């Protein structure tokens, strides 16, 4: 007679169940620390949503920065295929942050007003990781550094990123290495300033797009950069519309003009020549 399987038999025998002396999943991920960091300042139910959305977005931004830094180093070393994988991961990660606005938009104006005052002057405008992403993409304004003077270690970290070349700087240098004529003023520019478009850079990209087969790697690099800027602008737009949906045209908690400021930054282009050449092709 066939033995009836017990509950224990139905579990795969190789599955580990004794963790007295080994590391668990929760320990590896520091879940106790992560899941105990949602500290509401009000009793309102929806403040939990507000905190988690922003914390998750900061985690995704940490990954974006990790990949951008790796991509910048890879491009410097002319390891473009390595950079492509990292940049693809950046744009995929950006889609996660974009979709987060759909979740936050379930917060109604009436619900947000119940706990908004608890935030004081804290604001997403102060996100240092977002500033570092802007720095890595070549958008730099020195006045934002003053926001972080309270924390010297953080201020030093941002200042170091502020003085590093952005991904577009190293991409343009890759064009010059490939023999495309680039103005020396661009190659030797002060990288603490926001990048300004240049005719020689536009002509170089135009050459690449007109002879894709010859310049395939640089063509692919260009499209990876366009993907990232496209996603960032989608993120900015969804941010602006979500803020407008929840607080209208009120001033932001951090003192910015809110929707007005968010609309203004939509006009900034990180890689202007890559957009301009589309009209000329």
């Amino acid at each position: 007679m066939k033995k009836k399987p017990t509950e224990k038999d139905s579990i795969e025998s190789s599955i580990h169940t004794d963790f007295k002396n080994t590391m668990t999943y929760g320990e590896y991920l520091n879940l106790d620390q992560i899941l105990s960091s949602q500290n509401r300042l009000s009793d309102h139910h929806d403040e939990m949503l507000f905190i988690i959305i922003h914390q998750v977005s900061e985690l995704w931004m940490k990954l974006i920065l990790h990949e951008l830094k790796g991509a910048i180093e890879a491009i410097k070393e002319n390891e473009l295929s390595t950079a492509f994988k990292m940049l693809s991961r950046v744009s995929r990660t950006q889609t996660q942050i974009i979709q987060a606005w759909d979740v936050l938009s379930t917060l109604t104006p009436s619900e947000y007003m119940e706990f908004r005052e608890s935030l004081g002057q804290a604001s997403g405008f102060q996100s240092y990781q977002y500033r570092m992403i802007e720095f890595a993409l070549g958008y730099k304004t020195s006045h934002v550094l003053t926001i972080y003077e309270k924390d010297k270690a953080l201020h030093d970290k941002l200042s170091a990123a502020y003085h590093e070349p952005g991904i577009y700087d190293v991409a343009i240098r890759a064009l010059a290495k490939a023999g495309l004529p680039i103005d020396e003023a661009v190659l030797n520019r002060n990288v603490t300033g926001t990048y300004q478009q240049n005719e020689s850079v536009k002509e170089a990209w135009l050459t690449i797009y007109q002879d894709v087969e010859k310049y395939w790697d640089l063509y692919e690099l260009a499209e990876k950069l366009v993907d990232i800027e496209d996603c960032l602008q989608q993120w900015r737009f969804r941010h602006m519309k979500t803020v407008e949906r929840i607080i209208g045209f009120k001033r932001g908690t951090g003192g910015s003009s809110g929707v007005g400021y968010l609309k203004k930054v939509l006009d900034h282009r990180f890689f202007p020549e890559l957009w301009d050449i589309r009209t000329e092709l």
Side-chain angles (χ1 to χ4, degrees):
M1 186 175 178
K2 191 175 180 180
K3 182 182 175 183
K4 184 178 180 180
T6 65
E7 182 180 354
K8 184 177 180 180
D9 293 330
S10 68
I11 299 174
E12 292 185 43
S13 59
S14 61
I15 292 178
H16 294 286
T17 57
D18 183 357
F19 291 95
K20 294 183 180 68
N21 300 307
T22 56
M23 179 178 64
T24 65
Y25 169 82
E27 289 168 337
Y28 172 65
L29 295 177
N30 291 317
L31 286 182
D32 284 348
Q33 182 179 351
I34 292 172
L35 298 178
S36 62
S37 298
Q38 293 71 48
N39 302 310
R40 289 182 292 167
L41 297 179
S42 73
D43 293 327
H44 198 275
H45 174 86
D46 294 315
E47 190 182 354
M48 182 65 74
L49 162 69
F50 192 80
I51 293 171
I52 289 176
I53 285 292
H54 288 85
Q55 287 182 338
V56 168
S57 294
E58 290 291 337
L59 284 172
W60 282 128
M61 282 192 270
K62 183 172 184 176
L63 179 58
I64 288 172
L65 284 167
H66 177 69
E67 300 298 339
L68 283 175
K69 183 178 179 181
I72 288 171
E73 293 306 313
I75 295 169
K76 284 181 181 178
E77 299 299 320
N78 202 35
E79 297 175 357
L80 296 186
S81 60
T82 300
F84 297 157
K85 177 64 179 293
M86 296 171 178
L87 295 176
S88 292
R89 188 172 291 157
V90 169
S91 56
R92 292 292 183 89
T93 304
Q94 287 175 297
T95 64
Q96 299 300 310
I97 301 182
I98 293 167
Q99 290 173 0
W101 294 120
D102 293 337
V103 183
L104 187 58
S105 66
T106 64
L107 183 68
T108 69
S110 299
E111 290 163 346
Y112 182 49
M113 288 304 115
E114 290 291 325
F115 63 86
R116 188 179 191 232
E117 287 189 5
S118 301
L119 305 179
Q121 294 179 326
S123 166
F125 184 84
Q126 298 146 20
S127 169
Y128 76 86
Q129 290 197 121
Y130 178 72
R131 295 303 170 192
M132 290 180 71
I133 289 172
E134 287 188 328
F135 291 173
L137 298 180
Y139 181 59
K140 298 181 179 181
T141 50
S142 59
H143 72 274
V144 302
L145 293 174
T146 60
I147 297 172
Y148 311 99
E149 290 177 346
K150 178 180 179 179
D151 184 333
K152 184 180 184 305
L154 179 56
H155 185 270
D156 289 347
K157 183 177 182 179
L158 277 146
S159 183
Y162 179 78
H163 287 85
E164 288 292 321
I167 195 164
Y168 201 44
D169 291 304
V170 297
I172 291 170
R173 290 171 191 171
L175 302 184
K177 288 179 185 177
L180 293 160
I182 303 293
D183 290 347
E184 287 295 322
V186 177
L187 296 174
N188 299 314
R189 81 179 191 90
N190 180 355
V191 297
T192 63
T194 296
Y195 176 79
Q196 302 296 321
Q197 62 189 91
N198 176 270
E199 188 66 21
S200 70
V201 174
K202 187 181 80 170
E203 289 302 317
W205 286 125
L206 195 56
T207 298
I208 289 165
Y209 274 76
Q210 289 171 335
D211 195 347
V212 171
E213 193 170 318
K214 180 179 179 179
Y215 297 105
W216 177 259
D217 283 351
L218 294 173
Y219 169 71
E220 191 169 357
L221 174 59
E223 286 299 294
K224 297 296 185 191
L225 294 177
V226 170
D227 287 342
I228 289 171
E229 178 162 355
D230 191 353
C231 286
L232 185 60
Q233 294 292 44
Q234 289 182 51
W235 182 89
R236 282 175 159 180
F237 179 79
R238 290 295 297 123
H239 184 189
M240 182 268 292
K241 294 307 293 184
T242 303
V243 170
E244 184 178 0
R245 176 172 179 158
I246 296 174
I247 67 167
F249 287 82
K250 293 185 182 70
R251 187 167 290 276
T253 51
S256 76
S257 59
V259 170
Y261 169 79
L262 296 174
K263 282 186 175 181
K264 183 173 65 176
V265 297
L266 279 171
D267 292 332
H268 176 260
R269 297 188 300 170
F270 292 91
F271 316 129
E273 295 88 358
L274 289 175
W275 297 98
D276 287 345
I277 61 169
R278 281 156 163 75
T279 305
E280 299 187 25
L281 283 170

